[in-house]
Amino acid sequence: METLAALAQGFAIALTVVTLGFVLQDVLSRSRMAYNIVRIGVLSFTLGWLGWWVGGQYSIINILSYLQAPITGTGLETFLLDPVFFILGIYIAVTLFVLGRGVFCGWLCPFGALQELSNKLALLLRIPQIKIPRGVQEKLWAVKYIAAAGIVAIGFYSIDMANQVEEIEPFKTAINAKFLREL
């Protein structure tokens, strides 16, 4: 029980640091070096501890389970089985409405952290970058929302089928499954 309390306390401190980093990023960015140190530190924590160590990558299936809970009668005790997901879910819900999606998507998403840290490493190693035209980006942007809506719709029909279709989602594939997927 002490270990769980220490985990929750450490996670609460980390979420406080992330929130302060997000809220004060204008102040923090006055010093490029300070901003980069905090940013890389938070992203490393997000990818290493939250993503790969405790598997705290939210996906459409997690959101689907919250949406289905009132219908299926899933109790709170089910969600409390994984305290990191429970705490993170509440944090995401609150910060989403108070500060917007930038807190989770920009600072706490392990998949986003993997992308940003990989890009920083690629730039450091002088790997050539590919520029995707804005028009192509906008068309591809819609694909992710159509796929998410499709997975949610399938999930209301069959959660097992949604778990199979979820393999197209990169978040859990890269972080939780470490790229070990059938597709």
Side-chain angles (χ1 to χ4, degrees):
M1 195 63 159
E2 287 181 30
T3 305
L4 188 58
L7 171 73
Q9 184 179 19
F11 195 35
I13 291 168
L15 292 177
T16 302
V17 169
V18 168
T19 306
L20 287 173
F22 178 78
V23 171
L24 300 175
Q25 62 186 322
D26 289 340
V27 173
L28 192 58
S29 65
R30 290 180 189 155
S31 167
R32 183 179 215 105
M33 185 160 59
Y35 179 81
N36 284 332
I37 289 169
V38 170
R39 181 85 180 149
I40 290 171
V42 168
L43 292 176
S44 298
F45 162 81
T46 296
L47 178 60
W49 185 81
L50 183 60
W52 286 332
W53 186 261
V54 298
Q57 175 64 61
Y58 255 75
S59 78
I60 196 70
I61 295 298
N62 300 108
I63 295 165
L64 184 60
S65 66
Y66 289 127
L67 293 174
Q68 286 183 329
I71 298 166
T72 60
T74 303
L76 183 60
E77 65 278 353
T78 302
F79 296 110
L80 290 173
L81 291 173
D82 191 340
V84 170
F85 265 103
F86 185 72
I87 293 167
L88 189 58
I90 291 170
Y91 178 84
I92 292 169
V94 169
T95 58
L96 178 68
F97 291 109
V98 175
L99 300 170
R101 72 182 188 104
V103 180
F104 178 74
C105 295
W107 290 79
L108 271 178
C109 176
F111 185 73
L114 174 64
Q115 289 179 306
E116 189 168 333
L117 291 171
S118 296
N119 181 257
K120 287 185 181 306
L121 181 62
L123 291 172
L124 188 68
L125 297 174
R126 298 188 178 171
I127 295 172
Q129 304 293 298
I130 299 170
K131 291 284 184 184
I132 307 293
R134 183 87 175 145
V136 173
Q137 282 182 0
E138 288 175 2
K139 288 176 182 149
L140 290 174
W141 177 82
V143 171
K144 67 182 176 182
Y145 291 107
I146 293 168
I151 293 170
V152 168
I154 290 168
F156 279 106
Y157 173 73
S158 165
I159 195 68
D160 291 332
M161 194 182 297
N163 280 325
Q164 291 174 342
V165 175
E166 180 199 26
E167 289 195 11
I168 66 167
E169 182 188 58
F171 308 114
K172 286 187 96 166
T173 298
I175 305 301
N176 295 45
K178 296 174 179 67
F179 295 102
L180 300 175
R181 292 285 193 155
E182 288 183 30
L183 287 176

